[in-house]
Amino acid sequence: MPETSARDTSTPTLAPAATAAPSPAPTSVAGIRPTLDDLTLSFDGLGPLRLGDDPRTYDPDVSIVEREDDACGVPGFVRWNAAYPDRPLSDTSPGNTMRAFSVGWAEDVGVQAIQALSPRIKTSAGITVGSSFESLELAYPGLEPYSTGSGRDRYSVAGSPGTLYFDVGNGQSEHTAAVVDSMLVVETSVGAGVPSNEGC
C-alpha cells in the first residue's frame, strides 16, 4: 500500500504588507516674474514665453505677458502686452513710450511672433537692441539679408521652431546706421508674415 503524506492544514503566516511612505504635501512656492535682464530671445521664444504657447494658460501673477481685453476699443479683441513698464523712446521725449516687447498671437495657434524692443533683452549669443552690426555678424555667421526698408534693413537667422530676425538701422530717417534696433523671433511656418498685436 503506498504511503500517504500528512497534509499541512495550518494557516500560513503572511508577512505584513509594505506600506508606502506618505507623500509630502505639495508645497506652494510663490513664483517670481523674471526681470527683463533675465529674458533671453531664442529660436524657441522669449524666456518662458514659447512659440505656439497659449498665454491664457499662464499664471497671471508671474507671466511675462498680461491680457488686455477689448483692446483698441474693439469688443472681443484680446491683446497680450509685456507685463513690464513701458520705456521712454528717448531722453528728449519721455512722454513717448515703447513696450519692452510685443507679441503676435492668434487664438487658434497661440504665440506666433515676439518682437523685443528693450536693450535689456538679449539673445543667447549676447545680441541686444543697440548692438553693432559687426557684433551681430560675429555672433551669427549664418546671418542672411532678408529685406531692405526705409530706415532699416532686416536680416534673418534660420532656426527651429522659430527664425530670428534683426532690424538694423541703415542711416535713413531716425534709425542709427549699423545698429540693431529691433529683434524678433517668428514661428518659421509663418514665413514673412510677422503678426503683431503692438498697435491698434
Side-chain angles (χ1 to χ4, degrees), residues 69-166:
D69 290 308
D70 300 333
C72 306
V74 179
F77 177 50
V78 175
R79 181 166 64 182
W80 293 91
N81 302 319
Y84 300 89
D86 293 351
R87 67 178 182 91
L89 279 175
S90 69
D91 295 334
T92 57
S93 58
N96 296 325
T97 60
M98 178 183 293
R99 292 193 176 109
F101 59 88
S102 60
V103 179
W105 174 81
E107 189 170 352
D108 55 340
V109 293
V111 174
Q112 292 183 287
I114 305 162
Q115 181 177 21
L117 302 165
S118 170
R120 294 173 59 188
I121 297 172
K122 294 179 173 61
T123 69
S124 53
I127 298 300
T128 187
V129 169
S131 292
S132 68
F133 182 62
E134 182 182 15
S135 298
L136 179 63
E137 288 183 300
L138 289 172
Y140 295 100
L143 192 70
E144 295 283 343
Y146 182 78
S147 64
T148 299
S150 175
R152 305 192 281 195
D153 298 331
R154 178 165 287 179
Y155 296 84
S156 67
V157 182
S160 180
T163 296
L164 287 172
Y165 295 91
F166 299 90

Side-chain angles (χ1 to χ4, degrees), residues 13-63:
T13 303
L14 299 175
T19 56
S23 300
T27 56
S28 176
V29 178
I32 298 174
R33 177 177 289 124
T35 69
L36 286 174
D37 301 295
D38 294 329
L39 298 179
T40 300
L41 188 72
S42 70
F43 295 115
D44 296 314
L46 177 64
L49 182 64
R50 302 295 185 177
L51 295 176
D53 277 4
D54 185 345
R56 294 173 296 183
T57 64
Y58 291 175
D59 179 350
D61 292 331
V62 296
S63 174

